[in-house]
Amino acid sequence: MPHFPHPSLPAAGHLSRLLPGLLAAAAAVALALAVHTQVPALPAMTLAVVFGLLAANIPGLGAWSAGPGRPGLDFAGKHLMRAGIVVLGLKVSLVDVLGLGWAALLLITGVVLAAFAGTYVISRLFRLPPQVSLLIATGFAICGASAIGAMAAVRRIRQPDTVLPVALVTLCGTLAIGVLPLLIRPLGLSPEVFGAWAGASVHDVGQVVATAQTAGAGALAIAVVVKLTRVILLAPIVAAAGLHHRRRADAGDGLKRPPIVPLFVLGFVALAALRSTGWLAPGILEGAAVLQDVVLGMALFGLGSAVRVGQLLHTGARALLAALASWLLIAALGLGAAFLMIR
């Protein structure tokens, strides 16, 4: 009697390969959230990247993360990143954003576009590859690692090429947490102006919260709304990049035609629209925020675990200088915008 393999065996085998890395990523996120609870100034997402870096570079753990743990860690870095971007939409309320007024919205849009263009030019001046420059510009101008993941997907950029931009955006966002609050008194900033500055110039949502809360609840409130206005721009900028990539494919560059807007970006827009209706109970939004932290944290741990510090130091010196120059540019643009918004 012939023997037919059970149809679930390949799926079960694939899951068993993914499980070690996914479990490690989940444990790292749990630890990151626990540390953040005790030390709120340390964003959980930044800690997730740091724990990934440690997993990649501590003897013994490094071999594991490059070997048995790699399939699950790569899965987290790619697929859970997209899931995190979708759930991020539930943090965006168009009602709150529109409450800033059209003048502020146009100003923030101008800052994002100037930061995007300026960071790309700076990166190219430091002779970074075009794709890496594009990812750095996207992450710095919009919303950190989430934006990098979205742009990499629509431009069909390989996951290994996202590692350096994610490391740089994490480093510079962490730098902002330490440096910007020290400038409140020398620059004579009110809490509202400082909050608008943090929201307009710091990269990741968690890093914005960690930075702005040092100046009180008023600063934090406006920082979050300004930051989420930047997050909304993720969809149109990624759509524009997808359209450009599609036209190149149509022009015969031998590229596979990508969708104009990936499904996960449409999911982000749909959940942002749902959040804006006001139909969702606070408990649902709180649960979604936890879910987003978990899946995005696992993705960032996966990306961090692919970074070898020795290799980064060898190849990333120019990238680091470009990132610092871009950080200064965005900080200056954001400060100017904050003074214009809060008058």
Side-chain angles (χ1 to χ4, degrees):
M1 185 175 182
H3 173 72
F4 297 99
H6 194 281
S8 66
L9 287 181
H14 183 60
L15 179 60
S16 66
R17 291 177 62 246
L18 298 180
L19 203 55
L22 291 176
L23 289 176
V29 172
L31 179 59
L33 290 171
V35 173
H36 173 65
T37 300
Q38 298 300 315
V39 188
L42 296 177
M45 299 303 99
T46 299
L47 290 170
V49 177
V50 171
F51 292 158
L53 288 168
L54 293 175
N57 294 279
I58 292 177
L61 284 179
W64 179 87
S65 66
R70 196 71 254 152
L73 295 172
D74 284 341
F75 180 91
K78 180 178 180 180
H79 297 288
L80 294 188
M81 173 65 76
R82 298 180 184 187
I85 293 169
V86 172
V87 184
L88 178 62
L90 288 177
K91 288 188 174 180
V92 180
S93 171
L94 297 176
V95 175
D96 292 342
V97 168
L98 292 175
L100 289 173
W102 289 107
L105 293 178
L106 290 174
L107 188 59
I108 295 168
T109 301
V111 168
V112 168
L113 294 177
F116 184 92
T119 299
Y120 183 83
V121 169
I122 288 171
S123 298
R124 295 296 290 137
L125 288 175
F126 279 88
R127 302 195 306 280
L128 300 183
Q131 290 186 331
V132 173
S133 299
L134 177 65
L135 295 182
I136 293 173
T138 306
F140 274 52
I142 306 174
C143 57
S146 301
I148 290 171
M151 184 62 77
V154 77
R155 294 303 294 255
R156 301 290 171 89
I157 297 174
R158 298 180 312 120
Q159 186 177 337
D161 292 332
T162 69
V163 170
L164 179 60
V166 168
L168 293 173
V169 81
T170 302
L171 174 65
C172 289
T174 304
L175 184 64
I177 297 170
V179 172
L180 264 59
L182 299 177
L183 299 177
I184 295 176
R185 186 167 295 176
L187 295 177
L189 304 180
S190 68
E192 291 75 18
V193 170
F194 179 72
W197 184 25
S201 59
V202 181
H203 312 319
D204 180 78
V205 176
Q207 294 165 344
V208 168
V209 171
T211 305
Q213 68 184 0
T214 60
L220 180 58
I222 191 168
V224 170
V225 177
V226 172
K227 176 58 186 176
L228 293 181
T229 305
R230 291 168 62 199
V231 172
I232 286 176
L233 295 172
L234 173 67
I237 288 178
V238 166
L243 183 60
H244 177 263
H245 197 51
R246 192 179 181 89
R247 285 177 175 170
R248 285 182 58 203
D250 290 340
D253 286 355
L255 300 171
K256 183 180 177 181
R257 284 166 58 95
I260 294 177
V261 183
L263 284 177
F264 68 90
V265 175
L266 293 178
F268 164 84
V269 173
L271 290 190
L274 179 60
R275 164 67 188 268
S276 302
T277 63
W279 295 343
L280 299 178
I284 294 176
L285 295 176
E286 291 171 6
V290 173
L291 176 63
Q292 196 249 342
D293 284 345
V294 170
V295 294
L296 188 56
M298 290 176 67
L300 292 174
F301 178 81
L303 291 174
S305 69
V307 178
R308 298 295 182 269
V309 171
Q311 185 180 25
L312 184 63
L313 293 175
H314 179 68
T315 62
R318 282 183 286 110
L320 179 59
L321 291 174
L324 291 174
S326 300
W327 180 74
L328 290 172
L329 169 67
I330 294 173
L333 289 171
L335 183 60
F339 278 120
L340 291 174
M341 276 188 279
I342 311 297
R343 288 184 292 182

PDB file of all heavy atoms in Angstrom, residues 16-57:
ATOM      1  N   SER A  16       8.787  24.418  13.048  1.00  0.00           N
ATOM      2  CA  SER A  16       9.827  24.026  14.005  1.00  0.00           C
ATOM      3  C   SER A  16      11.136  24.766  13.746  1.00  0.00           C
ATOM      4  O   SER A  16      11.911  25.017  14.662  1.00  0.00           O
ATOM      5  CB  SER A  16      10.053  22.512  13.934  1.00  0.00           C
ATOM      6  OG  SER A  16      10.605  22.140  12.681  1.00  0.00           O
ATOM      7  N   ARG A  17      11.380  25.135  12.482  1.00  0.00           N
ATOM      8  CA  ARG A  17      12.579  25.908  12.166  1.00  0.00           C
ATOM      9  C   ARG A  17      12.438  27.354  12.642  1.00  0.00           C
ATOM     10  O   ARG A  17      13.412  27.992  13.033  1.00  0.00           O
ATOM     11  CB  ARG A  17      12.844  25.896  10.653  1.00  0.00           C
ATOM     12  CG  ARG A  17      13.260  24.547  10.102  1.00  0.00           C
ATOM     13  CD  ARG A  17      13.440  24.581   8.590  1.00  0.00           C
ATOM     14  NE  ARG A  17      14.493  25.504   8.193  1.00  0.00           N
ATOM     15  CZ  ARG A  17      14.282  26.614   7.490  1.00  0.00           C
ATOM     16  NH1 ARG A  17      13.068  26.943   7.120  1.00  0.00           N
ATOM     17  NH2 ARG A  17      15.295  27.392   7.156  1.00  0.00           N
ATOM     18  N   LEU A  18      11.211  27.885  12.590  1.00  0.00           N
ATOM     19  CA  LEU A  18      10.979  29.265  12.984  1.00  0.00           C
ATOM     20  C   LEU A  18      10.898  29.441  14.497  1.00  0.00           C
ATOM     21  O   LEU A  18      11.226  30.509  15.022  1.00  0.00           O
ATOM     22  CB  LEU A  18       9.670  29.790  12.366  1.00  0.00           C
ATOM     23  CG  LEU A  18       9.582  29.844  10.846  1.00  0.00           C
ATOM     24  CD1 LEU A  18       8.209  30.386  10.436  1.00  0.00           C
ATOM     25  CD2 LEU A  18      10.685  30.718  10.259  1.00  0.00           C
ATOM     26  N   LEU A  19      10.470  28.403  15.183  1.00  0.00           N
ATOM     27  CA  LEU A  19      10.109  28.532  16.594  1.00  0.00           C
ATOM     28  C   LEU A  19      11.246  29.030  17.486  1.00  0.00           C
ATOM     29  O   LEU A  19      11.021  29.916  18.321  1.00  0.00           O
ATOM     30  CB  LEU A  19       9.555  27.199  17.111  1.00  0.00           C
ATOM     31  CG  LEU A  19       8.658  27.284  18.341  1.00  0.00           C
ATOM     32  CD1 LEU A  19       7.507  28.246  18.098  1.00  0.00           C
ATOM     33  CD2 LEU A  19       8.136  25.899  18.703  1.00  0.00           C
ATOM     34  N   PRO A  20      12.477  28.496  17.380  1.00  0.00           N
ATOM     35  CA  PRO A  20      13.533  28.975  18.292  1.00  0.00           C
ATOM     36  C   PRO A  20      13.761  30.488  18.203  1.00  0.00           C
ATOM     37  O   PRO A  20      13.843  31.173  19.229  1.00  0.00           O
ATOM     38  CB  PRO A  20      14.772  28.187  17.845  1.00  0.00           C
ATOM     39  CG  PRO A  20      14.218  26.954  17.208  1.00  0.00           C
ATOM     40  CD  PRO A  20      12.960  27.393  16.533  1.00  0.00           C
ATOM     41  N   GLY A  21      13.855  31.014  16.988  1.00  0.00           N
ATOM     42  CA  GLY A  21      14.081  32.443  16.838  1.00  0.00           C
ATOM     43  C   GLY A  21      12.905  33.271  17.308  1.00  0.00           C
ATOM     44  O   GLY A  21      13.083  34.322  17.940  1.00  0.00           O
ATOM     45  N   LEU A  22      11.679  32.804  17.024  1.00  0.00           N
ATOM     46  CA  LEU A  22      10.499  33.551  17.447  1.00  0.00           C
ATOM     47  C   LEU A  22      10.360  33.563  18.965  1.00  0.00           C
ATOM     48  O   LEU A  22       9.993  34.584  19.559  1.00  0.00           O
ATOM     49  CB  LEU A  22       9.242  32.950  16.808  1.00  0.00           C
ATOM     50  CG  LEU A  22       9.117  33.152  15.292  1.00  0.00           C
ATOM     51  CD1 LEU A  22       7.877  32.427  14.761  1.00  0.00           C
ATOM     52  CD2 LEU A  22       9.057  34.636  14.948  1.00  0.00           C
ATOM     53  N   LEU A  23      10.653  32.438  19.610  1.00  0.00           N
ATOM     54  CA  LEU A  23      10.580  32.388  21.066  1.00  0.00           C
ATOM     55  C   LEU A  23      11.626  33.306  21.696  1.00  0.00           C
ATOM     56  O   LEU A  23      11.356  33.992  22.688  1.00  0.00           O
ATOM     57  CB  LEU A  23      10.768  30.947  21.554  1.00  0.00           C
ATOM     58  CG  LEU A  23       9.604  29.990  21.278  1.00  0.00           C
ATOM     59  CD1 LEU A  23       9.961  28.571  21.718  1.00  0.00           C
ATOM     60  CD2 LEU A  23       8.329  30.469  21.984  1.00  0.00           C
ATOM     61  N   ALA A  24      12.826  33.311  21.111  1.00  0.00           N
ATOM     62  CA  ALA A  24      13.869  34.203  21.630  1.00  0.00           C
ATOM     63  C   ALA A  24      13.459  35.661  21.467  1.00  0.00           C
ATOM     64  O   ALA A  24      13.663  36.487  22.370  1.00  0.00           O
ATOM     65  CB  ALA A  24      15.184  33.930  20.903  1.00  0.00           C
ATOM     66  N   ALA A  25      12.860  35.997  20.316  1.00  0.00           N
ATOM     67  CA  ALA A  25      12.422  37.371  20.084  1.00  0.00           C
ATOM     68  C   ALA A  25      11.316  37.760  21.069  1.00  0.00           C
ATOM     69  O   ALA A  25      11.315  38.875  21.608  1.00  0.00           O
ATOM     70  CB  ALA A  25      11.925  37.525  18.645  1.00  0.00           C
ATOM     71  N   ALA A  26      10.393  36.838  21.324  1.00  0.00           N
ATOM     72  CA  ALA A  26       9.315  37.117  22.277  1.00  0.00           C
ATOM     73  C   ALA A  26       9.870  37.331  23.687  1.00  0.00           C
ATOM     74  O   ALA A  26       9.436  38.238  24.414  1.00  0.00           O
ATOM     75  CB  ALA A  26       8.298  35.972  22.269  1.00  0.00           C
ATOM     76  N   ALA A  27      10.844  36.506  24.081  1.00  0.00           N
ATOM     77  CA  ALA A  27      11.450  36.660  25.407  1.00  0.00           C
ATOM     78  C   ALA A  27      12.187  37.987  25.513  1.00  0.00           C
ATOM     79  O   ALA A  27      12.135  38.674  26.546  1.00  0.00           O
ATOM     80  CB  ALA A  27      12.404  35.496  25.674  1.00  0.00           C
ATOM     81  N   ALA A  28      12.879  38.382  24.436  1.00  0.00           N
ATOM     82  CA  ALA A  28      13.606  39.661  24.444  1.00  0.00           C
ATOM     83  C   ALA A  28      12.643  40.840  24.581  1.00  0.00           C
ATOM     84  O   ALA A  28      12.919  41.801  25.302  1.00  0.00           O
ATOM     85  CB  ALA A  28      14.429  39.794  23.162  1.00  0.00           C
ATOM     86  N   VAL A  29      11.500  40.765  23.904  1.00  0.00           N
ATOM     87  CA  VAL A  29      10.511  41.846  24.001  1.00  0.00           C
ATOM     88  C   VAL A  29       9.922  41.905  25.411  1.00  0.00           C
ATOM     89  O   VAL A  29       9.715  42.992  25.965  1.00  0.00           O
ATOM     90  CB  VAL A  29       9.399  41.652  22.954  1.00  0.00           C
ATOM     91  CG1 VAL A  29       8.261  42.645  23.179  1.00  0.00           C
ATOM     92  CG2 VAL A  29       9.975  41.836  21.559  1.00  0.00           C
ATOM     93  N   ALA A  30       9.650  40.745  25.988  1.00  0.00           N
ATOM     94  CA  ALA A  30       9.135  40.733  27.362  1.00  0.00           C
ATOM     95  C   ALA A  30      10.123  41.405  28.312  1.00  0.00           C
ATOM     96  O   ALA A  30       9.733  42.198  29.184  1.00  0.00           O
ATOM     97  CB  ALA A  30       8.864  39.292  27.800  1.00  0.00           C
ATOM     98  N   LEU A  31      11.410  41.113  28.133  1.00  0.00           N
ATOM     99  CA  LEU A  31      12.430  41.742  28.961  1.00  0.00           C
ATOM    100  C   LEU A  31      12.504  43.242  28.691  1.00  0.00           C
ATOM    101  O   LEU A  31      12.617  44.053  29.627  1.00  0.00           O
ATOM    102  CB  LEU A  31      13.791  41.086  28.688  1.00  0.00           C
ATOM    103  CG  LEU A  31      14.983  41.653  29.461  1.00  0.00           C
ATOM    104  CD1 LEU A  31      14.761  41.540  30.969  1.00  0.00           C
ATOM    105  CD2 LEU A  31      16.271  40.934  29.050  1.00  0.00           C
ATOM    106  N   ALA A  32      12.420  43.641  27.406  1.00  0.00           N
ATOM    107  CA  ALA A  32      12.476  45.059  27.055  1.00  0.00           C
ATOM    108  C   ALA A  32      11.303  45.822  27.673  1.00  0.00           C
ATOM    109  O   ALA A  32      11.475  46.933  28.201  1.00  0.00           O
ATOM    110  CB  ALA A  32      12.471  45.222  25.530  1.00  0.00           C
ATOM    111  N   LEU A  33      10.113  45.241  27.623  1.00  0.00           N
ATOM    112  CA  LEU A  33       8.939  45.902  28.203  1.00  0.00           C
ATOM    113  C   LEU A  33       9.066  45.998  29.719  1.00  0.00           C
ATOM    114  O   LEU A  33       8.658  46.999  30.322  1.00  0.00           O
ATOM    115  CB  LEU A  33       7.675  45.137  27.816  1.00  0.00           C
ATOM    116  CG  LEU A  33       7.277  45.218  26.327  1.00  0.00           C
ATOM    117  CD1 LEU A  33       6.141  44.245  26.032  1.00  0.00           C
ATOM    118  CD2 LEU A  33       6.875  46.636  25.955  1.00  0.00           C
ATOM    119  N   ALA A  34       9.638  44.965  30.332  1.00  0.00           N
ATOM    120  CA  ALA A  34       9.823  44.982  31.786  1.00  0.00           C
ATOM    121  C   ALA A  34      10.807  46.078  32.190  1.00  0.00           C
ATOM    122  O   ALA A  34      10.576  46.818  33.159  1.00  0.00           O
ATOM    123  CB  ALA A  34      10.305  43.623  32.268  1.00  0.00           C
ATOM    124  N   VAL A  35      11.902  46.202  31.459  1.00  0.00           N
ATOM    125  CA  VAL A  35      12.890  47.244  31.757  1.00  0.00           C
ATOM    126  C   VAL A  35      12.268  48.622  31.544  1.00  0.00           C
ATOM    127  O   VAL A  35      12.469  49.548  32.348  1.00  0.00           O
ATOM    128  CB  VAL A  35      14.144  47.065  30.880  1.00  0.00           C
ATOM    129  CG1 VAL A  35      15.093  48.246  31.058  1.00  0.00           C
ATOM    130  CG2 VAL A  35      14.849  45.763  31.222  1.00  0.00           C
ATOM    131  N   HIS A  36      11.501  48.771  30.453  1.00  0.00           N
ATOM    132  CA  HIS A  36      10.846  50.058  30.181  1.00  0.00           C
ATOM    133  C   HIS A  36       9.869  50.435  31.290  1.00  0.00           C
ATOM    134  O   HIS A  36       9.757  51.612  31.652  1.00  0.00           O
ATOM    135  CB  HIS A  36      10.113  49.986  28.846  1.00  0.00           C
ATOM    136  CG  HIS A  36       9.273  51.186  28.550  1.00  0.00           C
ATOM    137  ND1 HIS A  36       9.793  52.446  28.345  1.00  0.00           N
ATOM    138  CD2 HIS A  36       7.922  51.323  28.463  1.00  0.00           C
ATOM    139  CE1 HIS A  36       8.820  53.296  28.127  1.00  0.00           C
ATOM    140  NE2 HIS A  36       7.668  52.649  28.201  1.00  0.00           N
ATOM    141  N   THR A  37       9.193  49.447  31.838  1.00  0.00           N
ATOM    142  CA  THR A  37       8.259  49.718  32.936  1.00  0.00           C
ATOM    143  C   THR A  37       8.994  50.287  34.145  1.00  0.00           C
ATOM    144  O   THR A  37       8.513  51.203  34.817  1.00  0.00           O
ATOM    145  CB  THR A  37       7.520  48.428  33.338  1.00  0.00           C
ATOM    146  OG1 THR A  37       6.787  47.945  32.202  1.00  0.00           O
ATOM    147  CG2 THR A  37       6.545  48.681  34.476  1.00  0.00           C
ATOM    148  N   GLN A  38      10.183  49.760  34.409  1.00  0.00           N
ATOM    149  CA  GLN A  38      10.966  50.226  35.555  1.00  0.00           C
ATOM    150  C   GLN A  38      11.708  51.528  35.250  1.00  0.00           C
ATOM    151  O   GLN A  38      11.899  52.368  36.138  1.00  0.00           O
ATOM    152  CB  GLN A  38      11.976  49.137  35.961  1.00  0.00           C
ATOM    153  CG  GLN A  38      11.342  47.837  36.414  1.00  0.00           C
ATOM    154  CD  GLN A  38      10.441  48.034  37.619  1.00  0.00           C
ATOM    155  OE1 GLN A  38      10.800  48.721  38.574  1.00  0.00           O
ATOM    156  NE2 GLN A  38       9.250  47.427  37.577  1.00  0.00           N
ATOM    157  N   VAL A  39      12.128  51.696  33.996  1.00  0.00           N
ATOM    158  CA  VAL A  39      12.880  52.897  33.589  1.00  0.00           C
ATOM    159  C   VAL A  39      12.201  53.474  32.346  1.00  0.00           C
ATOM    160  O   VAL A  39      12.595  53.171  31.212  1.00  0.00           O
ATOM    161  CB  VAL A  39      14.359  52.566  33.288  1.00  0.00           C
ATOM    162  CG1 VAL A  39      15.162  53.854  33.074  1.00  0.00           C
ATOM    163  CG2 VAL A  39      14.972  51.724  34.389  1.00  0.00           C
ATOM    164  N   PRO A  40      11.158  54.282  32.510  1.00  0.00           N
ATOM    165  CA  PRO A  40      10.390  54.778  31.362  1.00  0.00           C
ATOM    166  C   PRO A  40      11.215  55.564  30.341  1.00  0.00           C
ATOM    167  O   PRO A  40      10.815  55.660  29.177  1.00  0.00           O
ATOM    168  CB  PRO A  40       9.328  55.682  32.020  1.00  0.00           C
ATOM    169  CG  PRO A  40       9.191  55.158  33.415  1.00  0.00           C
ATOM    170  CD  PRO A  40      10.570  54.707  33.796  1.00  0.00           C
ATOM    171  N   ALA A  41      12.334  56.111  30.762  1.00  0.00           N
ATOM    172  CA  ALA A  41      13.164  56.871  29.816  1.00  0.00           C
ATOM    173  C   ALA A  41      13.807  55.983  28.756  1.00  0.00           C
ATOM    174  O   ALA A  41      14.304  56.490  27.739  1.00  0.00           O
ATOM    175  CB  ALA A  41      14.255  57.626  30.565  1.00  0.00           C
ATOM    176  N   LEU A  42      13.807  54.671  28.963  1.00  0.00           N
ATOM    177  CA  LEU A  42      14.370  53.733  27.990  1.00  0.00           C
ATOM    178  C   LEU A  42      13.240  53.128  27.169  1.00  0.00           C
ATOM    179  O   LEU A  42      12.494  52.277  27.662  1.00  0.00           O
ATOM    180  CB  LEU A  42      15.151  52.628  28.701  1.00  0.00           C
ATOM    181  CG  LEU A  42      16.389  53.057  29.489  1.00  0.00           C
ATOM    182  CD1 LEU A  42      17.004  51.861  30.203  1.00  0.00           C
ATOM    183  CD2 LEU A  42      17.415  53.713  28.564  1.00  0.00           C
ATOM    184  N   PRO A  43      13.056  53.535  25.904  1.00  0.00           N
ATOM    185  CA  PRO A  43      11.967  52.989  25.088  1.00  0.00           C
ATOM    186  C   PRO A  43      12.144  51.491  24.854  1.00  0.00           C
ATOM    187  O   PRO A  43      13.263  51.014  24.606  1.00  0.00           O
ATOM    188  CB  PRO A  43      12.073  53.764  23.775  1.00  0.00           C
ATOM    189  CG  PRO A  43      12.862  54.984  24.101  1.00  0.00           C
ATOM    190  CD  PRO A  43      13.799  54.573  25.197  1.00  0.00           C
ATOM    191  N   ALA A  44      11.039  50.769  24.937  1.00  0.00           N
ATOM    192  CA  ALA A  44      11.101  49.314  24.776  1.00  0.00           C
ATOM    193  C   ALA A  44      11.624  48.927  23.400  1.00  0.00           C
ATOM    194  O   ALA A  44      12.356  47.941  23.258  1.00  0.00           O
ATOM    195  CB  ALA A  44       9.718  48.708  25.015  1.00  0.00           C
ATOM    196  N   MET A  45      11.259  49.690  22.358  1.00  0.00           N
ATOM    197  CA  MET A  45      11.693  49.322  21.009  1.00  0.00           C
ATOM    198  C   MET A  45      13.200  49.518  20.838  1.00  0.00           C
ATOM    199  O   MET A  45      13.862  48.740  20.163  1.00  0.00           O
ATOM    200  CB  MET A  45      10.932  50.141  19.967  1.00  0.00           C
ATOM    201  CG  MET A  45       9.425  49.933  19.979  1.00  0.00           C
ATOM    202  SD  MET A  45       8.890  48.209  19.760  1.00  0.00           S
ATOM    203  CE  MET A  45       8.579  47.709  21.466  1.00  0.00           C
ATOM    204  N   THR A  46      13.737  50.556  21.456  1.00  0.00           N
ATOM    205  CA  THR A  46      15.187  50.745  21.420  1.00  0.00           C
ATOM    206  C   THR A  46      15.886  49.599  22.136  1.00  0.00           C
ATOM    207  O   THR A  46      16.902  49.069  21.659  1.00  0.00           O
ATOM    208  CB  THR A  46      15.557  52.085  22.069  1.00  0.00           C
ATOM    209  OG1 THR A  46      14.937  53.146  21.336  1.00  0.00           O
ATOM    210  CG2 THR A  46      17.059  52.299  22.075  1.00  0.00           C
ATOM    211  N   LEU A  47      15.345  49.204  23.277  1.00  0.00           N
ATOM    212  CA  LEU A  47      15.917  48.079  24.013  1.00  0.00           C
ATOM    213  C   LEU A  47      15.857  46.799  23.202  1.00  0.00           C
ATOM    214  O   LEU A  47      16.792  45.982  23.249  1.00  0.00           O
ATOM    215  CB  LEU A  47      15.164  47.893  25.340  1.00  0.00           C
ATOM    216  CG  LEU A  47      15.391  48.980  26.396  1.00  0.00           C
ATOM    217  CD1 LEU A  47      14.422  48.806  27.551  1.00  0.00           C
ATOM    218  CD2 LEU A  47      16.832  48.926  26.918  1.00  0.00           C
ATOM    219  N   ALA A  48      14.787  46.598  22.436  1.00  0.00           N
ATOM    220  CA  ALA A  48      14.675  45.387  21.612  1.00  0.00           C
ATOM    221  C   ALA A  48      15.809  45.313  20.598  1.00  0.00           C
ATOM    222  O   ALA A  48      16.396  44.246  20.374  1.00  0.00           O
ATOM    223  CB  ALA A  48      13.317  45.356  20.915  1.00  0.00           C
ATOM    224  N   VAL A  49      16.129  46.455  19.975  1.00  0.00           N
ATOM    225  CA  VAL A  49      17.247  46.474  19.029  1.00  0.00           C
ATOM    226  C   VAL A  49      18.565  46.191  19.749  1.00  0.00           C
ATOM    227  O   VAL A  49      19.403  45.414  19.271  1.00  0.00           O
ATOM    228  CB  VAL A  49      17.326  47.825  18.301  1.00  0.00           C
ATOM    229  CG1 VAL A  49      18.534  47.859  17.368  1.00  0.00           C
ATOM    230  CG2 VAL A  49      16.061  48.080  17.501  1.00  0.00           C
ATOM    231  N   VAL A  50      18.748  46.809  20.919  1.00  0.00           N
ATOM    232  CA  VAL A  50      19.987  46.610  21.684  1.00  0.00           C
ATOM    233  C   VAL A  50      20.134  45.142  22.078  1.00  0.00           C
ATOM    234  O   VAL A  50      21.230  44.559  21.955  1.00  0.00           O
ATOM    235  CB  VAL A  50      19.989  47.506  22.933  1.00  0.00           C
ATOM    236  CG1 VAL A  50      21.161  47.159  23.848  1.00  0.00           C
ATOM    237  CG2 VAL A  50      20.067  48.980  22.530  1.00  0.00           C
ATOM    238  N   PHE A  51      19.049  44.516  22.528  1.00  0.00           N
ATOM    239  CA  PHE A  51      19.118  43.105  22.889  1.00  0.00           C
ATOM    240  C   PHE A  51      19.449  42.242  21.670  1.00  0.00           C
ATOM    241  O   PHE A  51      20.169  41.244  21.779  1.00  0.00           O
ATOM    242  CB  PHE A  51      17.796  42.645  23.507  1.00  0.00           C
ATOM    243  CG  PHE A  51      17.521  43.258  24.867  1.00  0.00           C
ATOM    244  CD1 PHE A  51      16.220  43.320  25.367  1.00  0.00           C
ATOM    245  CD2 PHE A  51      18.543  43.776  25.641  1.00  0.00           C
ATOM    246  CE1 PHE A  51      15.958  43.876  26.609  1.00  0.00           C
ATOM    247  CE2 PHE A  51      18.304  44.346  26.884  1.00  0.00           C
ATOM    248  CZ  PHE A  51      17.012  44.392  27.371  1.00  0.00           C
ATOM    249  N   GLY A  52      18.938  42.640  20.508  1.00  0.00           N
ATOM    250  CA  GLY A  52      19.293  41.922  19.285  1.00  0.00           C
ATOM    251  C   GLY A  52      20.767  42.046  18.971  1.00  0.00           C
ATOM    252  O   GLY A  52      21.422  41.071  18.582  1.00  0.00           O
ATOM    253  N   LEU A  53      21.301  43.268  19.144  1.00  0.00           N
ATOM    254  CA  LEU A  53      22.741  43.467  18.933  1.00  0.00           C
ATOM    255  C   LEU A  53      23.562  42.597  19.875  1.00  0.00           C
ATOM    256  O   LEU A  53      24.575  42.003  19.468  1.00  0.00           O
ATOM    257  CB  LEU A  53      23.086  44.942  19.149  1.00  0.00           C
ATOM    258  CG  LEU A  53      22.621  45.927  18.081  1.00  0.00           C
ATOM    259  CD1 LEU A  53      22.776  47.351  18.584  1.00  0.00           C
ATOM    260  CD2 LEU A  53      23.428  45.736  16.805  1.00  0.00           C
ATOM    261  N   LEU A  54      23.128  42.520  21.137  1.00  0.00           N
ATOM    262  CA  LEU A  54      23.847  41.682  22.101  1.00  0.00           C
ATOM    263  C   LEU A  54      23.780  40.211  21.698  1.00  0.00           C
ATOM    264  O   LEU A  54      24.778  39.482  21.784  1.00  0.00           O
ATOM    265  CB  LEU A  54      23.255  41.875  23.498  1.00  0.00           C
ATOM    266  CG  LEU A  54      23.463  43.257  24.126  1.00  0.00           C
ATOM    267  CD1 LEU A  54      22.720  43.353  25.456  1.00  0.00           C
ATOM    268  CD2 LEU A  54      24.949  43.539  24.334  1.00  0.00           C
ATOM    269  N   ALA A  55      22.606  39.785  21.245  1.00  0.00           N
ATOM    270  CA  ALA A  55      22.451  38.382  20.838  1.00  0.00           C
ATOM    271  C   ALA A  55      23.349  38.044  19.658  1.00  0.00           C
ATOM    272  O   ALA A  55      23.797  36.907  19.515  1.00  0.00           O
ATOM    273  CB  ALA A  55      20.992  38.104  20.479  1.00  0.00           C
ATOM    274  N   ALA A  56      23.616  39.030  18.815  1.00  0.00           N
ATOM    275  CA  ALA A  56      24.445  38.772  17.642  1.00  0.00           C
ATOM    276  C   ALA A  56      25.931  38.798  17.952  1.00  0.00           C
ATOM    277  O   ALA A  56      26.729  38.227  17.202  1.00  0.00           O
ATOM    278  CB  ALA A  56      24.141  39.807  16.557  1.00  0.00           C
ATOM    279  N   ASN A  57      26.328  39.456  19.048  1.00  0.00           N
ATOM    280  CA  ASN A  57      27.754  39.726  19.253  1.00  0.00           C
ATOM    281  C   ASN A  57      28.347  39.128  20.517  1.00  0.00           C
ATOM    282  O   ASN A  57      29.552  39.221  20.729  1.00  0.00           O
ATOM    283  CB  ASN A  57      27.968  41.245  19.244  1.00  0.00           C
ATOM    284  CG  ASN A  57      27.681  41.858  17.887  1.00  0.00           C
ATOM    285  OD1 ASN A  57      28.504  41.823  16.985  1.00  0.00           O
ATOM    286  ND2 ASN A  57      26.481  42.417  17.730  1.00  0.00           N
TER     287      ASN A  57
END
